[in-house]
Amino acid sequence: MIDDPGTPTRARDPLRVVIAGGGVAALEALVALQGLAPGRIDVVLLSATDTFIYRPLLVGEPFGLGHPHRYDLANLCAGLGAELVLDTVTQVVPEAHAIQTASGTDIIYDVLLVAIGARPYPAFDNGVTFERQLSPEDFDDVLGDLTDGMAPRVAIVVPDGVSWSLPAYELALLTAAWAERAHPEATCVTLVTHEPAPLADFGPKVSAQIAELLEREHVVVRCGVHPDVVTPTALRVGGTWLEADRIVSLPLLAGPRLPGLPMDAQGLIPCDGLGHVDGVPDVYVAGDSGTFPIKQGGLAAQQAVAAVTDIAARTGADVEARATEPVLRAVLMTRTGPRYLRAELADVDGTSTFATEALWWPPSKIASRWLGPHLARLDVDRLHGATTADIDRGMA
Ligand SMILES: Cc1cc2nc3c(=O)[nH]c(=O)nc-3n(C[C@H](O)[C@H](O)[C@H](O)COP(=O)(O)OP(=O)(O)OC[C@H]3O[C@@H](n4cnc5c(N)ncnc54)[C@H](O)[C@@H]3O)c2cc1C
């Protein structure tokens, strides 16, 4: 339902919640709202894209480890009783409880959840930026040149400012395994990162295990270094140059700079632990759009749950709103199978865990309370041609 811009704001029953975005945080919020406050909320999902792409699986794609799963948002919304609007939010008008969109429409909300992610951009002028969705061929060429023996030394870089470094570790490990098959003697993969220790956000136990793993897999790791210049064949690190035939960097992320909402210098939206946007009533933010320093899908989902629990509580649903107590969870793909990493950010040293068995269920790369199980059920549907209702009946 799209309102006339002149429609006055009023409290509605059911509450009208507009979720802007179609990624992890938006979909976690969508599924959670239907679970926490069924019948009490009308949900509109406003997304710039019609498909949800499971991005963590983009890393394995160039190595032939399958393609990321794609989910049709129209089907997802239909199954959850939500209205889908394919459009782009261009501005929030808090005093009118309205958002404006690229198509020129105004959409009224009682509550707005902004979950429009962040914008990747290259950290350096030279080398390859690992951006599978925009230019997949760039990294394919690196692997091709490695296979042909033209570029045996590859550096994978986590530039200053990149907070979620796991894809670089997977790239380094998978590239080393790939290179070993092609040219066992001649190749050298180096991981260059600003982190003080490998995957330092996960704490000391994980760092120690990852360091061992990298050594075993013949990946050279250089931690605590801050390359500031990258040429096509070298990185400047402090006063010295590290040479490589191909340099692959993770992208930096910029905030969405959404007019009408406060933002920090990077364009990210500031909020409290429940996702309330600073100084803007009835507007929440979750995921990479917010100022939380680590940009990760599992954390995006946790932030979405904190926000929608608060929203559900406003409708009288029997839930208690609680600020996020962030837990980092990750699955690291290696050639000898997945490794599961976990740490609670309030006590990283005491909770740092590394395991070869799953530490959560379903053991998906983006660990989430609501979306992960929902997608797992859709995957089962797809595999067996059954309906979700059939599966519900089977699980009851
Ligand atoms: C290669 C790679 C590997 C990763 N691996 C992992 C991993 O293993 N584990 C993990 O937890 N995380 C991982 N991440 C990070 C994770 O994907 C992100 O942190 C997460 O997707 C952020 O969720 P989000 O909802 O904030 O934003 P996004 O998922 O980016 O979603 C933003 C959505 O908003 C839509 N949108 C954008 N602008 C507008 C607008 N103006 N109006 C309407 N809609 C808009 C977009 O189309 C998109 O649907 C990885 C990321 C990458 C790129």
Side-chain angles (χ1 to χ4, degrees):
M1 179 177 66
I2 295 175
D3 295 87
D4 181 274
T7 307
T9 305
R10 60 191 165 84
R12 293 162 208 252
D13 184 18
L15 193 75
R16 178 170 162 79
V17 178
V18 175
I19 302 174
V24 176
L27 297 182
E28 178 76 4
L30 179 63
V31 183
L33 272 177
Q34 305 300 353
L36 294 173
R40 295 169 184 266
I41 290 180
D42 277 344
V43 183
V44 176
L45 187 83
L46 175 97
S47 173
T49 45
D50 62 3
T51 308
F52 170 61
I53 300 175
Y54 204 82
R55 289 195 303 197
L57 301 183
L58 289 166
V59 179
E61 191 179 48
F63 304 94
L65 300 178
H67 300 289
H69 301 175
R70 288 164 190 270
Y71 300 87
D72 181 61
L73 290 185
N75 284 342
L76 268 172
C77 285
L80 291 162
E83 180 187 350
L84 174 66
V85 176
L86 291 177
D87 208 338
T88 302
V89 56
T90 52
Q91 174 152 14
V92 179
V93 188
E95 53 284 7
H97 273 59
I99 58 175
Q100 294 175 348
T101 72
S103 71
T105 313
D106 284 21
I107 301 178
I108 300 291
Y109 61 80
D110 291 326
V111 171
L112 171 66
L113 173 65
V114 177
I116 58 175
R119 315 281 171 261
Y121 66 97
F124 305 109
D125 291 338
N126 290 297
V128 167
T129 300
F130 188 78
E131 231 312 337
R132 267 323 265 178
Q133 282 174 271
L134 292 180
S135 48
E137 61 286 352
D138 291 352
F139 189 76
D140 290 343
D141 288 347
V142 172
L143 285 188
D145 292 346
L146 191 59
T147 309
D148 295 345
M150 281 166 54
R153 296 168 305 169
V154 178
I156 312 280
V157 183
V158 182
D160 280 5
V162 170
S163 60
W164 180 239
S165 59
L166 186 109
Y169 288 79
E170 292 185 323
L171 279 180
L173 288 164
L174 295 172
T175 303
W178 177 276
E180 198 178 292
R181 280 199 300 273
H183 300 282
E185 304 304 320
T187 41
C188 174
V189 176
T190 305
L191 177 64
V192 177
T193 176
H194 63 82
E195 299 157 292
L199 292 176
D201 283 336
F202 284 92
K205 280 193 197 139
V206 168
S207 289
Q209 295 278 353
I210 298 291
E212 260 180 43
L213 178 65
L214 293 169
E215 193 178 344
R216 223 172 27 245
E217 296 295 317
H218 309 294
V219 174
V220 177
V221 60
R222 297 194 52 182
C223 289
V225 292
H226 309 273
D228 59 347
V229 176
V230 168
T231 74
T233 55
L235 302 125
R236 190 171 71 183
V237 177
T240 60
W241 289 88
L242 172 70
E243 289 186 8
D245 302 305
R246 295 289 180 273
I247 297 168
V248 181
S249 305
L250 296 187
L252 294 171
L253 292 177
R257 294 195 177 280
L258 187 58
L261 295 185
M263 66 184 88
D264 71 4
Q266 275 102 45
L268 298 164
I269 302 164
C271 65
D272 67 12
L274 287 170
H276 298 120
V277 173
D278 289 358
V280 189
D282 303 326
V283 180
Y284 296 74
V285 64
D288 287 2
S289 301
T291 45
F292 194 82
I294 305 177
K295 306 292 176 208
Q296 193 244 7
L299 295 177
Q302 290 165 45
Q303 291 157 16
V305 171
V308 298
T309 308
D310 194 56
I311 295 167
R314 292 166 61 154
T315 68
D318 186 17
V319 291
E320 193 190 334
R322 262 194 296 166
T324 321
E325 292 169 6
V327 182
L328 263 187
R329 297 181 183 86
V331 184
L332 180 77
M333 287 185 278
T334 77
R335 67 167 152 180
T336 52
R339 300 291 181 275
Y340 298 88
L341 322 177
R342 182 184 182 283
E344 294 170 26
L345 294 185
D347 178 19
V348 169
D349 290 1
T351 57
S352 179
T353 309
F354 179 98
T356 51
E357 304 290 327
L359 295 170
W360 56 92
W361 200 262
S364 41
K365 280 186 72 72
I366 296 181
S368 57
R369 162 78 181 79
W370 296 92
L371 182 61
H374 190 78
L375 295 182
R377 282 154 34 119
L378 293 180
D379 291 344
V380 172
D381 285 11
R382 274 208 278 222
L383 275 177
H384 299 298
T387 66
T388 308
D390 292 336
I391 292 169
D392 281 341
R393 275 198 292 279
M395 292 171 83

